[in-house]
Amino acid sequence: MNRRRFGLALTSTLALSACAGGARMVSLEDVNTAGGTIAPILVVSSRNLKDDGSLGSGRGEGLAFGRYDISVPPDRRAGSLNLPSFRANPRKHFATLNNEIFPNEALFRSQLRAQLMSRPAGRRRAVIFVHGYNTGYEDGLFRFSQFYTDVGLDDVPVHYSWPSAEKLLRYGYDRDSMLYARDGFQATIRSVIAAGAEGVLIIGHSMGSMLIMETLREFAIAGDTGTRGKIDGVILVSPDIDIDVFRAQVRRIGNVPQPFVVFSSKRDRVLRFAASEIYGNTRVGALRLEGELSDLDVNVVDVTDFSRGILNHDTAITSPAFLKIMSNMRAFTGSFGQGVTDAMSEQPDSIMSVQDADTIEVGTLED
């Protein structure tokens, strides 16, 4: 694919994804009739609060807290995210069952604590998802609900939504907004822990991965070992981070949370384009050589074999074949903490080849 054709494909695909929000409300009766499931997602956001009470793309002066109940359609293909253009059909579409912006953080903590306490001791964990570049508020919520459902997570879901401009050509604004959102993300993690979470798994996509790394770095600089000790896993999907910056972040963080997993693809055309045309250096989500991070205490999962689309920037959260392998997210990521051999033995539907001590290339048995 030449540079001009790739630029057109990038523009078209990302523009479509940016317009994917605006799903309509559905009733509980409609969801039950359709046989769908409900993902109750708590929200913390550094976006601005608009006059109509919804969250926008601007930068808020403080944090907003809320809850969205997302209706997930039955019998869908893993990785699919079908959103309505007009009226939502809960048999086919992801839709909103309930949405609420809380008047204060106390109500957020109260609802989070209630969900945590509904689980037995030892399983009172939360998962925080951080979206990437060019992502609307509802778009991020729906993508998180899709991924959360597909990988079989039972942790209480929390979505951190930072103020993306939701426009393809506002990359600079988004990058600055991501940095603007660092203090809010620190506060979010601390609030989740204060509500009673025994552990916190943090998942970031694309530019959201940089926000996670910068936040972990700030915890290390502040000597906040209490918060750091509650973070029991980090997953970076297609991280839009310069490889040298990533190395410096890991060195400053010191003992990174474990498991620490990076999903990377040699066919990620978005990050390859960014590396060659914008930054001039390799991005962590599109590593070109095996073992480039083998000196760090991180596990790299090469998902190149599953990257069969146009852009391949979200393979790990949209590929049906790969999501099947990850259908128990906690077991999948936890196996890395036990060692590469255990990671391989616990995935009967996949072929894992060890490239070095910390890099695994994943393929399917059908390949």
Side-chain angles (χ1 to χ4, degrees):
M1 179 180 291
N2 64 38
R3 188 171 299 167
R4 182 176 181 275
R5 288 176 59 198
F6 171 70
L8 290 173
L10 177 67
T11 301
S12 299
T13 304
L14 291 185
L16 284 173
S17 69
C19 295
R24 301 295 188 265
M25 299 283 292
V26 294
S27 68
L28 179 59
E29 181 181 0
D30 290 339
V31 175
N32 289 336
T33 300
T37 57
I38 299 172
I41 299 180
L42 290 165
V43 176
V44 184
S45 180
S46 49
R47 294 173 182 262
N48 69 308
L49 196 62
K50 298 193 294 187
D51 291 340
D52 62 2
S54 63
L55 293 170
S57 58
R59 299 163 185 163
E61 294 184 2
L63 291 176
F65 300 86
R67 170 173 170 162
Y68 261 58
D69 292 337
I70 305 297
S71 168
V72 181
D75 304 323
R76 63 183 180 83
R77 190 182 190 211
S80 65
L81 182 59
N82 191 15
L83 299 175
S85 299
F86 300 102
R87 183 174 179 177
N89 180 346
R91 292 184 185 276
K92 301 189 300 181
H93 302 130
F94 281 76
T96 303
L97 182 69
N98 171 68
N99 64 75
E100 180 181 3
I101 299 298
F102 298 149
N104 51 51
E105 182 180 354
L107 186 53
F108 165 81
R109 287 195 189 184
S110 175
Q111 292 216 8
L112 175 56
R113 181 171 180 80
Q115 290 196 45
L116 290 167
M117 292 302 107
S118 70
R119 292 156 168 78
R123 294 179 57 189
R124 293 168 182 164
R125 299 187 296 246
V127 53
I128 305 176
F129 180 77
V130 185
H131 64 77
Y133 153 67
N134 189 33
T135 302
Y137 175 60
E138 283 195 341
D139 296 336
L141 279 166
F142 286 123
R143 179 57 73 189
F144 180 29
S145 63
Q146 168 261 307
F147 181 65
Y148 178 86
T149 304
D150 286 342
V151 299
L153 278 169
D154 185 48
D155 304 16
V156 178
V158 178
H159 179 54
Y160 183 70
S161 184
W162 52 273
S164 167
E166 308 169 36
K167 294 181 180 179
L168 178 63
L169 300 180
R170 296 292 299 278
Y171 185 91
Y173 177 90
D174 273 18
R175 188 170 179 82
D176 287 344
S177 289
M178 175 271 297
L179 296 173
Y180 174 85
R182 287 176 296 184
D183 288 350
F185 189 48
Q186 288 185 52
T188 297
I189 296 171
R190 291 188 175 111
S191 187
V192 169
I193 293 170
E198 297 170 337
V200 180
L201 172 66
I202 303 177
I203 303 173
H205 177 235
S206 188
M207 194 179 285
S209 299
M210 173 66 95
L211 176 54
I212 291 170
M213 291 301 292
E214 283 294 288
T215 301
L216 293 176
R217 180 176 177 274
E218 290 295 329
F219 285 147
I221 291 172
D224 189 350
T225 56
T227 300
R228 161 62 188 85
K230 290 287 189 177
I231 300 173
D232 60 1
V234 172
I235 299 170
L236 306 182
V237 180
S238 308
D240 185 6
I241 308 175
D242 178 284
I243 189 169
D244 296 330
V245 172
F246 183 76
R247 287 180 176 282
Q249 289 169 327
V250 173
R251 286 195 297 267
R252 191 64 184 84
I253 293 166
N255 295 323
V256 296
Q258 294 296 333
F260 194 109
V261 182
V262 174
F263 292 109
S264 182
S265 172
K266 298 180 182 69
R267 295 176 185 160
D268 188 327
R269 294 188 176 96
V270 172
L271 293 185
R272 284 172 57 186
F273 181 82
S276 63
E277 302 301 321
I278 301 175
Y279 297 108
N281 201 20
T282 301
R283 315 307 285 173
V284 174
L287 298 173
R288 303 297 294 159
L289 301 174
E290 307 297 349
E292 287 188 84
L293 300 178
S294 60
D295 58 318
L296 304 178
D297 193 15
V298 303
N299 296 286
V300 178
V301 179
D302 186 342
V303 297
T304 301
D305 283 353
F306 296 89
S307 303
R308 298 167 182 170
I310 297 175
L311 300 180
N312 303 315
H313 188 47
D314 53 8
T315 297
I317 55 179
T318 60
S319 164
F322 189 70
L323 287 168
K324 181 181 179 183
I325 294 173
M326 283 204 305
S327 58
N328 186 330
M329 169 64 88
R330 278 284 182 181
F332 181 87
T333 57
S335 62
F336 288 101
Q338 303 164 24
V340 170
T341 301
D342 289 334
M344 296 171 66
S345 65
E346 292 188 17
Q347 307 305 326
D349 294 318
S350 66
I351 299 173
M352 292 189 175
S353 62
V354 181
Q355 305 302 322
D356 57 65
D358 298 295
T359 304
I360 297 176
E361 183 174 335
V362 187
T364 62
L365 290 175
E366 291 80 12
D367 286 343

